[in-house]
Amino acid sequence: MYPFHRINADSYQFLTNKGITYIVEFSSASFYFHPGCQYCQLIEVMSFYPVGSQKQGFDDEVSETLAGILRERCNKLSVGILFICDSSDQKEICRAKLFELWNQKFNGGSHHYQKAKIEYQDGIAYAGLIVSVSNPDAIDIINEFRQGAQYIASK
């Protein structure tokens, strides 16, 4: 795992062995849920990207570092982390499989992992939620995620 540090309350940064800087950001996920949701304030959406346009190729330490940041965020803030696979380049199913692989490799039973395939009018979206098993609101957060997936599909 690469060393990482916080840039601010909602962002992290790390540098790979190939000199590529990654930014990992978290923001409110309430946009993805119905207006009356009770637990959506306990769910954040995660995004990450390399700075610049350099291509690194697969780096297992990037995966391990992202998993470490997810664990830290889930555990310290008692939140669920939502990810929605980017579909701008038609590789969303590959990203969904990658998240599944990360879960199998790095979870270790400490987190619930819930995935969803959301079929809607314009296509299909793949999403997932990770929440610590020690979070007292874990079941409610997972249920909110499931309802949110249905809500997005109904739009």
Side-chain angles (χ1 to χ4, degrees):
M1 177 168 29
Y2 293 117
F4 60 87
H5 67 276
R6 278 186 157 188
I7 299 171
N8 59 46
D10 298 319
S11 301
Y12 297 76
Q13 180 177 339
F14 64 93
L15 180 66
T16 70
N17 288 338
K18 294 186 179 180
I20 298 172
T21 299
Y22 276 82
I23 303 294
V24 183
E25 297 177 321
F26 297 89
S27 58
S28 171
S30 59
F31 169 80
Y32 297 102
F33 298 91
H34 58 88
C37 71
Q38 185 176 356
Y39 289 92
C40 62
Q41 72 275 6
L42 298 176
I43 303 173
E44 297 181 334
V45 66
M46 178 189 112
S47 63
F48 63 93
Y49 53 91
V51 175
S53 59
Q54 298 172 323
K55 298 227 178 201
Q56 174 169 307
F58 184 77
D59 181 345
D60 200 41
E61 282 191 80
V62 170
S63 300
E64 188 178 345
T65 306
L66 291 170
I69 292 169
L70 282 170
R71 279 192 298 271
E72 178 178 294
R73 191 80 178 179
C74 282
N75 296 339
K76 286 189 176 180
L77 298 180
S78 296
V79 296
I81 305 294
L82 171 70
F83 61 87
I84 298 174
C85 299
D86 178 22
S87 61
S88 62
D89 58 1
Q90 317 295 286
K91 294 182 181 179
E92 63 274 12
I93 194 155
C94 297
R95 290 182 180 93
K97 288 178 182 178
L98 186 58
F99 274 104
E100 181 73 27
L101 177 66
W102 290 352
N103 177 61
Q104 291 171 7
K105 189 170 183 179
F106 301 117
N107 187 333
S110 61
H111 292 79
H112 294 289
Y113 172 70
Q114 181 73 47
K115 61 183 178 178
K117 178 180 176 183
I118 305 166
E119 297 183 41
Y120 59 100
Q121 183 177 349
D122 296 330
I124 297 173
Y126 296 91
L129 177 86
I130 298 170
V131 62
S132 173
V133 296
S134 65
N135 185 324
D137 297 311
I139 299 304
D140 294 315
I141 290 171
I142 291 168
N143 288 335
E144 198 73 67
F145 169 71
R146 289 176 180 155
Q147 291 172 6
Q150 292 173 354
Y151 175 72
I152 293 169
S154 70
K155 283 186 164 187

